[in-house]
Amino acid sequence: MMNLKKDKHVEPTDENLSIVLGESFPVYKKLVEKLPNYEANLEWRFYKDGGWLAKVTRKKKTLFWGEPNCNYFTIAFHFNEKSSNGVFELDIADKLKQDFLSVLSNGRKISTLRINLCSESGLADIYQLIAYKYKAK
């Protein structure tokens, strides 16, 4: 069933996403239902090398990318050098800050914070990061 998302002829409908995401599907739906609060749109794309990816944007700005996986939804926030420091000022889990710090030390211009969303407990941190990306220049 995991290959479902890698078949370009299969659309990422709620039914198909629920098969891939399993028990985390209701959490994914809560996230999607909250996106209008941030004037954000979710658009699904298909990539040959990875399958389904969700691009979440506000106007022309990408807020985050999402990927359905077996029983969790991976969210990737990309930050430039200027906006990355503000992540440490957010009221998010220390583990996320530590994960991000280890990515920052690579010295790249763009740093990515990845979060595997599998339960509602992760939503508060994700909402904070979306709000920060929404405001960041």
Side-chain angles (χ1 to χ4, degrees), residues 32-133:
V32 170
E33 288 163 8
K34 188 99 167 172
L35 292 178
N37 294 3
Y38 303 97
E39 300 171 27
N41 297 309
L42 184 146
E43 173 191 331
W44 284 100
R45 297 173 174 206
F46 183 84
Y47 294 91
K48 289 182 217 166
D49 58 346
W52 301 335
L53 280 183
K55 183 177 183 182
V56 177
T57 57
R58 176 181 181 254
K59 297 181 181 168
K60 292 184 178 183
K61 181 180 191 173
T62 300
L63 298 176
F64 67 87
W65 288 86
E67 179 185 8
N69 289 293
C70 188
N71 295 317
Y72 63 94
F73 188 70
T74 300
I75 295 173
F77 290 97
H78 300 296
F79 298 96
N80 61 26
E81 289 175 281
K82 192 175 172 184
S83 66
S84 59
N85 288 335
V87 172
F88 299 101
E89 297 165 19
L90 299 175
D91 184 21
I92 59 174
D94 287 339
K95 172 149 181 22
L96 292 178
K97 291 178 184 179
Q98 289 168 358
D99 290 348
F100 192 53
L101 189 59
S102 68
V103 174
L104 275 181
S105 61
N106 292 341
R108 297 190 176 133
K109 292 204 183 296
I110 301 291
S111 300
T112 302
L113 175 59
R114 283 187 176 73
I115 303 171
N116 292 332
L117 179 65
C118 48
S119 69
E120 283 191 37
S121 63
L123 286 173
D125 289 339
I126 289 167
Y127 295 149
Q128 286 241 3
L129 287 157
I130 293 170
Y132 177 68
K133 285 286 289 190

